[in-house]
Amino acid sequence: MRPARLLLVAFAVSALSLPALSATAGSTGPVGPTAVSDPARAELRGIVEDVVGATGKRYNTKDDAGHVMDTVKTIQDTTGGYLAVSHHLASDGHFRVNLATSTDLLNWHWVRELAGSNTGPASQPTIAQASNGGFVLAWEQEQPGGGNNHLAFRYFANRADLLAGRVTRSFDAPRRLSSCAEGTPNIYGITLSPDIEHSTIEIGGHYWWNCDRDRQQRGRLTNFNSWTTAAQPTFDNALLHWGVGGNIGDRDQVGFRGYSFGLIEGQYTKGDFGSWRTFVYDYQTGNADRTTIRTNSGSTAFANPTVTALRAPNGQPAVLVTLFIPSEGAGPGEAGVLIYYKTY
């Protein structure tokens, strides 16, 4: 998603595409037997929809340096607390990627900028930790003068390097599916064999189909120096089924109750920021559920979703969700980044 001037691991998978295994009522395919993942998907959808009843929540989230935390992605910090990457629009009109830490998921301490000043505009970041303690950071990169949007990747060997901004490996992916733009990454999984120089990283993203509308892709970064990717029409079809006529863009994935699910944004009307909605996607079936998200002041538009399974500050398992609420669909006081989590 690219709101206003806003341009817009838990579960490793090895294939570049996940085929539909079965279909359920109201899905993209014919009605069939109940999928084994249906109860878990319904439970997750209930968590996503019930902001009012969340264990903790914060609207219009900013870090302690005053940066808005747009498109924030949060992960557990193995040393305690939480790490998050996000972007904000700087005074020079360029997007910057920031790193922040938290002890409670709702109040965030700004640590540093990770991309933007030296790379050109950088937005839509995501992050995941590898089994060796290193971190993979990905974002949507622009040229310093604008345009040429593509996926960028950086590897930090450990937590200290991440907090210091010391990059070990860098890779900028060439565009394969669109001559205009590719971006909004999420990280499906990181496999080390045994290190980052011998690794496979599974990546989701969007490509600007016909330079007109965002559609889904899935790629693979091999050994941090080779990139392949393919369009994901099955993923697109899951939202087209519900009448989405604009962009199908940002997404994130989570392992929940033993199954793999995703949240994905869909824009019903191209150019209408008030028509952004968030869907729950089932990787087992290839189907998507519409959500009816209930906030305290009745916001109706929701974009740039992320979802993370983690431990809440009280130690219980929880699902953390973040959403961008555009002003065109925001209830009073709710525009901006919403962070909320539910223990279970």
Side-chain angles (χ1 to χ4, degrees):
M1 174 202 171
R2 297 173 175 77
R5 168 74 179 129
L6 191 73
L7 287 179
L8 225 193
V9 194
F11 194 92
V13 241
S14 60
L16 283 179
S17 61
L18 290 170
L21 302 178
S22 63
T24 57
S27 71
T28 57
V31 176
T34 299
V36 294
S37 56
D38 282 359
R41 188 177 73 244
E43 182 183 1
L44 178 62
R45 187 176 70 247
I47 292 172
V48 172
E49 291 180 330
D50 188 16
V51 181
V52 174
T55 306
K57 58 181 174 289
R58 183 178 178 183
Y59 295 96
N60 191 22
T61 308
K62 297 180 175 67
D63 63 31
D64 60 3
H67 306 114
V68 298
M69 296 181 68
D70 289 332
T71 69
V72 59
K73 171 63 178 177
T74 302
I75 61 174
Q76 198 98 44
D77 187 343
T78 55
T79 66
Y82 310 93
L83 299 166
V85 291
S86 62
H87 76 232
H88 82 284
L89 187 62
S91 57
D92 62 2
H94 292 164
F95 288 106
R96 309 286 175 81
V97 169
N98 292 317
L99 174 67
T101 61
S102 177
T103 59
D104 64 4
L105 290 171
L106 303 179
N107 297 285
W108 291 91
H109 169 63
W110 180 77
V111 176
R112 66 165 46 253
E113 179 184 310
L114 291 175
S117 293
N118 298 323
T119 63
S123 62
Q124 310 283 351
T126 191
I127 192 169
Q129 188 168 22
S131 58
N132 65 349
F135 293 86
V136 175
L137 173 69
W139 70 84
E140 182 172 338
Q141 178 64 51
E142 290 184 72
Q143 293 292 94
N148 189 32
N149 291 41
H150 62 276
L151 295 170
F153 302 92
R154 301 294 183 267
Y155 176 71
F156 302 87
N158 50 53
R159 184 181 184 275
D161 281 1
L162 175 67
L163 268 60
R166 291 189 295 267
V167 174
T168 300
R169 296 293 299 271
S170 300
F171 182 80
D172 281 55
R175 291 200 305 263
R176 303 292 195 197
L177 302 176
S178 172
S179 61
C180 294
E182 298 181 14
T184 61
N186 72 290
I187 300 172
Y188 285 113
I190 304 168
T191 302
L192 304 180
S193 303
D195 50 29
I196 198 66
E197 286 78 20
H198 306 86
S199 62
T200 302
I201 303 171
E202 301 286 346
I203 301 293
H206 85 262
Y207 70 100
W208 204 8
W209 171 72
N210 286 341
C211 298
D212 178 62
R213 287 173 173 83
D214 289 343
R215 292 294 183 259
Q216 295 302 292
Q217 66 168 310
R218 182 160 174 153
R220 178 175 293 160
L221 177 58
T222 304
N223 301 335
F224 229 84
N225 63 15
S226 176
W227 173 250
T228 58
T229 191
Q232 298 289 284
T234 299
F235 210 154
D236 296 327
N237 289 341
L239 270 64
L240 295 173
H241 167 79
W242 293 110
V244 171
N247 292 316
I248 300 173
D250 204 0
R251 87 236 48 79
D252 201 16
Q253 178 271 343
V254 69
F256 181 71
R257 302 293 193 193
Y259 300 99
S260 180
F261 301 109
L263 299 185
I264 182 169
E265 63 176 5
Q267 185 185 38
Y268 274 91
T269 303
K270 182 182 176 182
D272 179 5
F273 288 96
S275 72
W276 283 105
R277 299 293 185 270
T278 289
F279 298 77
V280 175
Y281 183 77
D282 189 328
Y283 285 92
Q284 287 66 226
T285 66
N287 301 325
D289 290 345
R290 291 186 294 188
T291 62
T292 302
I293 297 173
R294 301 176 297 277
T295 67
N296 295 76
S297 295
S299 294
T300 57
F302 306 95
N304 292 115
T306 74
V307 57
T308 307
L310 42 64
R311 290 282 173 179
N314 67 0
Q316 289 183 283
V319 172
L320 174 81
V321 178
T322 70
L323 299 166
F324 178 79
I325 303 178
S327 58
E328 292 87 341
E334 293 185 349
V337 175
L338 165 62
I339 296 178
Y340 60 106
Y341 69 93
K342 178 72 172 180
T343 58
Y344 64 95

